Amino acid sequence: MWNRPEFLSAAPPGAPFLPGASFRPTFLRAAFIRTALAALLAPALSASAFLPAAPAHAAAPSAACGDVTERPWCRASLPPDRRAALLLAALTLDEKADLMAGDEFLGQVTSGWDPNARAGTLNGVPRLGVPALRFSGGDAGVRQGTATALPAPIALAAAFDPAAARRHGALVGDETRRKGSEVTLGPALDLIRNPRFGRSFEQYGEDPHLTARLGVEWIRAAQAQGVMASAKHFAAYNQEADRYTVDAVVGDRALREIYLPPFEAAVREGGAATVMCAYNKVNGAWNCENRTLLGRVLREEWRFPGIVVSDWMTQLSGTAPAARAGLDLEMPIGQRFNPLSVRAEIAAGRLDQATLDSRVRAILRTMFAFGVFDRPPYPNAPETIDVPAHLAAARELAEEGVTLLKNDRGVLPLDRPASIAVIGSAADAYVSGGGSSQVLARSPVTPLQGIRERAARAGIRVDHDAGADRARAAALARRADVAVVVAADARTEFADQWCLALICGDALRGDQDALIEAVATANPETVVVLENGGPVLLPWAGRVAGIVQAWYPGEQGGNALARVLFGDVDPGGRSPVTFPAAERDAPASGGPAQYPGRDGSVHYSEGVLVGYRHYDARRITPRFAFGHGLSYTTFAFGGLAVHRDRVEVTVTNTGARRGTAVPQLYLGLPGTAEAPQPPRQLKGFAKVRLDPGQSRRVTMPLNDRAFSYWDETAGAWRAAPGCTSVMVGTSSRDIVATDRLC
């Protein structure tokens, strides 16, 4: 905990432990003090707060719920609500308070390397047979010792494929269970409002529909493995700068149309067991004690029956406000939720027994609903994981997300050159995002390793230069048939990027943009491979032949990249974010009030114009559009048929290779004076793989919400009056078929 960057004193951009990050030292010191005080006070608040994670061989709570005669809540035939009510009546006040907070302080840090540590633990109540709940990080793999490091969520989003999300979620769920945990802390459903967001790699991009569709499938698949998913971070958590203090001032329409839909889908369709509330404030109230978001929206409107869990060491103004708002479980320890504080609040009349019971009931009911009481605890048995199968899945998922942004003169695939110069320090490194979702990979394969192994099978010579001396790297490129420059950024939790140039993302790699310029000047057949966690500026885009976005592809990324570069598989990805042509073009670039905030508040004054909606409404030409991605073959689209409940189109492979097409459905809703609409919004997509000459009829479903906007005056969804433009395209800017629906 103490060596986490957020608790360190100020460091300048480019500091060795977090290159390119921007820091706010005054609050960082305050955060350190607050956490230190919590550590000092915790023993008085919760006796088990600092107990280490139990090793795999330690005694566990009873494997069975217990005797149904003495413990009627153990009768599995009863519904979860009834069982929770019976158990609730048997708990003492202190036991209830103990169930509202975690009991493991350092697990979030030590789990990064310790196979027996977890992100958090709720110890349960052994007296009554209440088992423990154990939490592991799970966005891109299980953060608990070594695990399969999967492609980052942004790479999964680039797959534009619900089936890939199911596979990703199922794998994380399987490893979570086999490592002895009941809860996986994912998926992250926040949107990339600002491309400088340090945690952009943990998200599914900039569009709420894409995020919702992938999130639902990920949650269902993970929970089908017998674990609980945690949809996070609720809500409007879109920056790392001042994340513990900033107040996101967001209009109701933007909340309802942009930031809340992925969480609504996670709860109503995905059946998420838990929702994690975020650090920041929204419209003046801390997320974890926001009565509008937790009480009215999540509990009342969406009927969420599960557990609301706080993010780790989140800010709360008090015990009673958080409990009344709807927070059930404070993690990782009880700073506010502990027997001492709960008793004091009840005695003072600020907290009543009914509210306390409702918080504990949600925890117990969810544990009953997910079978935690009715089976032995999952053993920490990583040796039972099918590692070869999981590594194969990691590679295939990475291939699904690799995005071909540019391919002039058919420089790719690499099926013709006799020699390849691979350039850049990132080529010989394993690149992943930093922070609480970082996974200790089992056997990472770098781009250089993958390219060398594949090239050797084809008899192609590969030379490498790290690029520290640009002239030497250019000379190597000049002697090769093709040059492949691998560049990367270094995104992480705790800090945003301070600009969108590559040097701002990872200063320790030097000026990668200048390196690319030098290599491209020396060899016009230059391909740039990017391993980035979000959009960056590409000032050299017009001077290179090819650009491949690999995102953070996971531990099998080197093999996946090589298979795409050499044409063994078609690049399956489409960009889930827009790449700006200039820094000033990016969303949330309208001044400090819009980002990073002024006087403690950040104003979402752009409303619903987030991501590609921003570029389209303001007629800004991006470098690469949302949804863009090329194939090694060509496709034709025809036979557009528009219905109120679906849109159909026929996709035909008109090229000579098997390839992947991703038709995307956009609607242009009629606007009103009170609710102007962006030119287009993603409302459907599909992914099809076709042999040469093969055609397939694709159906993209629609529902009433697709034609609706949030009426702030009425506080309800309303159908937009008038005719709707229907557009099918290969990106938000490349529309290939249109119609109208009136």
Side-chain angles (χ1 to χ4, degrees):
M1 176 67 71
W2 310 117
N3 65 349
R4 281 168 56 177
E6 64 189 295
F7 300 125
L8 300 176
S9 59
F17 66 87
L18 201 56
S22 59
F23 290 83
R24 300 189 179 273
T26 300
F27 182 71
L28 291 178
R29 287 193 291 270
F32 178 89
I33 293 169
R34 179 169 62 85
T35 307
L37 287 174
L40 292 172
L41 293 173
L45 305 181
S46 176
S48 56
F50 290 95
L51 290 178
H57 61 272
S62 175
C65 182
D67 189 329
V68 297
T69 303
E70 296 181 1
R71 297 173 177 173
W73 54 86
C74 290
R75 190 173 293 113
S77 60
L78 295 176
D81 288 298
R82 178 59 180 155
R83 298 177 74 181
L86 290 168
L87 176 52
L88 190 65
L91 291 167
T92 67
L93 178 60
D94 285 355
E95 286 170 340
K96 292 176 184 178
D98 266 338
L99 282 173
M100 293 170 62
D103 300 292
E104 184 177 353
F105 186 53
L106 294 176
Q108 182 63 32
V109 175
T110 60
S111 62
W113 62 85
D114 184 351
N116 294 317
R118 297 177 177 85
T121 300
L122 176 63
N123 280 338
V125 183
R127 180 180 74 86
L128 298 175
V130 180
L133 272 186
R134 296 158 296 181
F135 299 73
S136 289
D139 284 313
V142 182
R143 183 179 167 84
Q144 184 182 328
T146 57
T148 307
L150 292 170
I154 195 170
L156 176 60
F160 266 74
D161 188 0
R166 289 193 292 273
R167 193 175 187 188
H168 197 286
L171 194 152
V172 171
D174 179 74
E175 291 201 5
T176 299
R177 174 171 50 83
R178 293 179 187 276
K179 284 176 170 285
S181 291
E182 288 78 24
V183 185
T184 179
L185 298 175
L189 302 177
D190 311 298
L191 295 187
I192 301 176
R193 169 186 180 251
N194 176 357
R196 305 167 190 85
F197 187 21
R199 299 182 81 170
S200 59
F201 67 94
E202 295 184 48
Q203 321 307 324
Y204 293 144
E206 66 189 29
D207 182 77
H209 180 79
L210 177 64
T211 298
R213 293 304 93 213
L214 299 181
V216 165
E217 299 303 325
W218 197 100
I219 290 166
R220 287 173 173 170
Q223 293 189 162
Q225 298 299 313
V227 301
M228 307 180 202
S230 187
K232 63 182 188 182
H233 309 84
F234 189 72
Y237 171 52
N238 310 110
Q239 64 185 65
E240 292 300 278
D242 299 325
R243 67 177 185 174
Y244 294 104
T245 58
V246 72
D247 181 11
V249 181
V250 195
D252 284 348
R253 185 182 171 209
L255 274 173
R256 294 289 187 160
E257 294 186 26
I258 302 295
Y259 301 105
L260 295 185
F263 291 97
E264 182 179 6
V267 168
R268 289 184 155 179
E269 299 177 55
T274 82
V275 170
M276 181 190 292
C277 50
Y279 291 122
N280 58 293
K281 294 179 181 178
V282 172
N283 296 328
W286 297 112
N287 261 307
C288 289
E289 54 184 43
N290 194 310
R291 299 188 76 167
T292 298
L293 291 175
L294 297 186
R296 182 163 62 84
V297 176
L298 184 62
R299 295 291 195 192
E300 295 175 14
E301 291 186 27
W302 300 350
R303 300 294 182 186
F304 176 62
I307 304 170
V308 176
V309 56
S310 77
D311 204 344
W312 270 229
M313 303 302 294
T314 196
Q315 179 74 275
L316 298 173
S317 65
T319 305
R324 290 198 302 265
L327 177 65
D328 302 311
L329 180 60
E330 184 184 8
M331 295 295 287
I333 59 171
Q335 299 181 85
R336 298 290 189 177
F337 284 6
N338 56 75
L340 182 63
S341 296
V342 167
R343 283 186 175 278
E345 294 294 276
I346 290 177
R350 291 186 290 267
L351 181 64
D352 58 66
Q353 188 71 44
T355 299
L356 179 69
D357 285 354
S358 67
R359 303 283 71 83
V360 179
R361 185 182 297 109
I363 296 169
L364 298 176
R365 185 222 171 267
T366 305
M367 292 174 69
F368 280 121
F370 281 81
V372 180
F373 280 82
D374 303 319
R375 56 162 176 77
Y378 293 141
N380 186 2
E383 69 278 3
T384 66
I385 294 171
D386 188 345
V387 174
H390 284 197
L391 291 177
R395 192 206 76 219
E396 292 164 5
L397 286 166
E399 293 168 4
E400 291 282 337
V402 173
T403 306
L404 181 59
L405 297 176
K406 184 179 182 180
N407 192 24
D408 284 359
R409 302 182 299 278
V411 65
L412 294 174
L414 298 174
D415 52 5
R416 292 169 294 174
S419 63
I420 301 171
V422 178
I423 295 168
S425 61
D428 199 23
Y430 171 57
V431 178
S432 67
S436 59
S437 66
Q438 191 170 30
V439 178
L440 185 59
R442 299 183 191 280
S443 52
V445 180
T446 68
L448 181 60
Q449 289 172 320
I451 291 170
R452 274 184 167 157
E453 181 181 341
R454 179 59 181 82
R457 298 203 302 270
I460 299 172
R461 189 181 79 249
V462 174
D463 298 303
H464 173 245
D465 189 283
D469 183 327
R470 289 199 291 272
R472 186 180 64 196
L476 179 64
R478 193 175 293 111
R479 296 192 298 270
D481 293 323
V482 174
V484 176
V485 184
V486 182
D489 67 8
R491 303 216 178 198
T492 183
E493 187 181 357
F494 317 119
D496 292 333
Q497 308 289 84
W498 55 277
C499 80
L500 294 177
L502 282 171
I503 197 168
C504 299
D506 193 342
L508 295 183
R509 296 195 188 280
D511 191 342
Q512 296 176 95
D513 288 323
L515 175 63
I516 293 168
E517 294 272 10
V519 172
T521 299
N523 188 337
E525 299 297 287
T526 291
V527 175
V528 177
V529 173
L530 296 167
E531 290 194 327
N532 293 339
V536 294
L537 300 178
L538 310 174
W540 34 260
R543 291 183 288 281
V544 300
I547 304 174
V548 177
Q549 177 60 264
W551 315 102
Y552 293 157
E555 66 176 282
Q556 283 292 299
N559 288 332
L561 175 64
R563 282 170 52 80
V564 171
L565 291 178
F566 284 86
D568 300 327
V569 292
D570 202 47
R574 303 297 184 265
S575 182
V577 292
T578 306
F579 284 76
E583 186 92 24
R584 64 181 178 276
D585 294 343
S589 298
Q594 203 172 41
Y595 174 82
R598 178 185 290 153
D599 299 327
S601 297
V602 58
H603 291 264
Y604 287 45
S605 53
E606 71 281 357
V608 299
L609 301 181
V610 175
Y612 63 89
R613 293 166 170 82
H614 157 85
Y615 293 89
D616 292 347
R618 289 171 168 74
R619 299 182 181 179
I620 299 171
T621 301
R623 180 77 69 186
F624 293 109
F626 171 87
H628 171 71
L630 304 175
S631 168
Y632 291 149
T633 189
T634 56
F635 299 95
F637 298 80
L640 180 66
V642 176
H643 309 275
R644 187 74 185 181
D645 63 344
R646 69 193 186 281
V647 170
E648 300 171 353
V649 67
T650 299
V651 185
T652 302
N653 184 341
T654 57
R657 302 173 64 107
R658 178 174 172 81
T660 301
V662 182
Q664 300 156 39
L665 169 62
Y666 296 89
L667 296 184
L669 302 184
T672 66
E674 296 77 19
Q677 297 288 344
R680 61 192 64 88
Q681 303 177 56
L682 182 74
K683 297 297 181 181
F685 58 91
K687 191 166 192 175
V688 292
R689 297 166 183 83
L690 300 173
D691 292 325
Q694 184 181 9
S695 296
R696 185 171 300 167
R697 190 73 171 164
V698 172
T699 300
M700 291 173 277
L702 292 169
N703 56 26
D704 289 342
R705 180 70 68 83
F707 299 93
S708 303
Y709 70 97
W710 184 261
D711 186 328
E712 292 189 326
T713 302
W717 291 98
R718 292 285 183 264
C723 296
T724 296
S725 297
V726 179
M727 296 160 276
V728 171
T730 56
S731 79
S732 64
R733 287 296 177 97
D734 297 305
I735 303 302
V736 297
T738 62
D739 203 341
R740 287 172 66 81
L741 188 62
C742 298

